[in-house]
């Protein structure tokens, strides 16, 4: 007869563990069911993030412009020094040839002139200092020796200066590359955010910008702004001729501009040279603290670090190259995205 054994009961510990695990699974399932799906950022939230990235890109752009300007200046200085060294070496060779000719003539007439020993000396400077006291040297030879000594020292100093500038140039090129990479990174991030918008949202943002631009144009046309000077009027007219031209970071015209590229180009058309970067342009003239004292053509600066500049257009409006994705246009000074700091009358 078969025996009937009672099934083995699970231990109390095992029951507790299983119960706890089951409860946790139920709780997680409940949370997952009740959790709201991650919400897509709204059009306005995307715009705010994009605007911030564009501001950061423009900050980096002005640093990039400064490094680029420094690089170009260093390259010109190095080229000038190298040309001077080359000419100086030719002059030194001519001086040595002349002295050598005098020494050869004396040798042929009997005896080695002390000046000839200059070319055999391990320490020319020391020899020159001693030789200048020798009675055997003619006045003409002494003068030639002194010129050689001076020219050698000048060339040595110029070569040292060129070496230091070449080091500075290498450092500047490294900085330029970093800033360019930073700008491109910010712009890439902004584009990704814009790509997340629907076609309808993109159209709405574009329509908002167009309405703002048309409003600013009406304000300029209805204003009674007086140019700060004839040169300011000419610069402003030059900038007006570029309305609709695209913004491109690092560009100075005539087919594209960044903010300081537009202002420096506009004043150049008026025959006035001003610095390349927005920060440097703050020293291009007389500072105007009050917005009410601004006149058409004055430079106007925004943000605490002065990374944005435009031309005052009258009636509270600015003519500027705003940022990537836009064109040269009029805009209310109150919608730039950063505070007006001051103006400069060139």
């Amino acid at each position: 007869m078969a025996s009937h054994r009672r099934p083995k009961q699970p231990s109390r510990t095992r029951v507790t563990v299983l119960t706890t695990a089951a409860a946790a699974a139920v709780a997680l399932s409940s949370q997952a069911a009740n959790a709201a799906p991650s919400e897509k950022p709204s059009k306005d939230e995307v715009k705010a993030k994009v605007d911030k990235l564009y501001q950061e890109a423009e900050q980096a752009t002005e640093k990039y412009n400064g490094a680029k300007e420094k690089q170009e200046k260093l390259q010109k200085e190095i080229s000038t020094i190298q040309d001077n060294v080359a000419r100086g070496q030719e002059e030194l060779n001519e001086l040595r040839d002349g002295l050598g000719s005098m020494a050869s003539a004396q040798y042929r007439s009997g005896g080695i002139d002390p000046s000839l020993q200059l070319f055999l000396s391990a320490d020319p400077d020391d020899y020159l200092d001693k030789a200048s006291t020798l009675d055997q040297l003619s006045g003409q030879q002494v003068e030639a020796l002194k010129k050689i000594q001076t020219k050698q020292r000048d060339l040595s100093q110029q070569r040292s200066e060129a070496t230091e500038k070449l080091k500075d140039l290498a450092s500047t090129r490294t900085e330029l590359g970093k800033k360019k990479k930073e700008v491109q990174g910010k712009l890439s991030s902004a584009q990704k955010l814009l790509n997340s918008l629907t076609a309808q949202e993109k159209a709405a943002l574009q329509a908002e910008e167009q309405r703002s631009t048309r409003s600013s144009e009406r304000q300029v046309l209805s204003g009674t702004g007086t140019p700060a000077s004839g040169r300011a009027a000419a610069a402003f007219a030059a900038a007006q001729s570029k309305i609709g031209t695209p913004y491109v970071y690092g560009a100075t015209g005539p087919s594209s501009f960044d903010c300081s590229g537009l202002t420096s180009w506009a004043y150049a058309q008026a025959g006035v040279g001003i610095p390349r970067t927005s920060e440097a342009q703050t020293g291009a003239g007389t500072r105007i603290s009050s917005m009410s004292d601004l006149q058409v053509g004055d430079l106007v600066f925004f943000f605490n670090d002065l990374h944005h500049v435009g031309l005052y257009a009258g009636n509270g409006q600015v003519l500027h190259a705003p940022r990537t994705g836009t064109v040269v246009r009029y805009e209310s000074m109150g919608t730039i995205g950063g505070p007006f700091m001051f103006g400069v009358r060139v």
Side-chain angles (χ1 to χ4, degrees), residues 29-52:
S29 298
S30 176
Q31 288 174 6
N34 294 330
S38 57
E39 294 183 1
K40 179 187 173 209
S42 69
K43 170 177 68 69
D44 291 337
E45 288 173 335
V46 168
K47 183 179 184 303
K49 290 178 181 178
V50 167
D51 287 346
K52 186 174 186 299

Side-chain angles (χ1 to χ4, degrees), residues 22 68 71 95 99 118 127 188 219 222 256 276 279 307 315 325 327:
K68 188 176 181 181
Q71 173 184 258
L95 289 170
L99 187 60
L118 173 66
Y127 176 80
S188 177
Q219 290 289 331
S222 65
S256 58
R276 168 66 178 93
E279 185 176 0
H307 73 256
N315 211 15
V327 297

Side-chain angles (χ1 to χ4, degrees), residues 16-90:
T16 302
V17 170
L18 291 173
T19 302
T20 303
V26 171
L28 287 172
S29 298
S30 176
Q31 288 174 6
N34 294 330
S38 57
E39 294 183 1
K40 179 187 173 209
S42 69
K43 170 177 68 69
D44 291 337
E45 288 173 335
V46 168
K47 183 179 184 303
K49 290 178 181 178
V50 167
D51 287 346
K52 186 174 186 299
L53 283 168
Y54 279 144
Q55 287 177 21
E56 292 171 352
E58 191 173 39
Q59 286 176 310
T61 293
E62 286 303 301
K63 299 294 184 186
Y64 167 86
N65 290 338
K68 188 176 181 181
E69 185 179 41
K70 183 179 179 182
Q71 173 184 258
E72 292 169 354
K73 181 181 177 183
L74 282 169
Q75 286 173 329
K76 289 179 181 178
E77 290 175 350
I78 290 169
S79 178
T80 299
I81 292 172
Q82 289 174 335
D83 288 343
N84 290 339
V85 167
R87 283 194 298 270
Q89 188 63 53
E90 289 177 1

Side-chain angles (χ1 to χ4, degrees), residues 213-285:
T213 299
R214 286 195 294 270
S215 174
S216 292
E217 288 174 348
R218 288 194 295 270
Q219 290 289 331
V220 171
L221 293 173
S222 65
T224 57
T226 303
S229 66
R231 293 177 301 178
F236 186 72
Q240 283 181 308
S241 73
K242 292 301 178 180
I243 289 176
T245 303
Y247 177 104
V248 174
Y249 80 89
T252 56
S255 57
S256 58
F257 299 93
D258 61 21
C259 70
S260 56
L262 174 66
T263 50
S264 58
W265 177 88
Y267 266 95
Q269 308 318 298
V272 181
I274 63 174
R276 168 66 178 93
T277 66
S278 59
E279 185 176 0
Q281 287 178 13
T282 61

Side-chain angles (χ1 to χ4, degrees), residues 55 58 302-303 308 318 320 322 331-340:
Q55 287 177 21
E58 191 173 39
F302 301 87
F303 298 95
H308 189 72
V318 61
H320 67 152
E331 190 170 351
S332 168
M333 292 173 66
T335 63
I336 299 299
F340 164 72

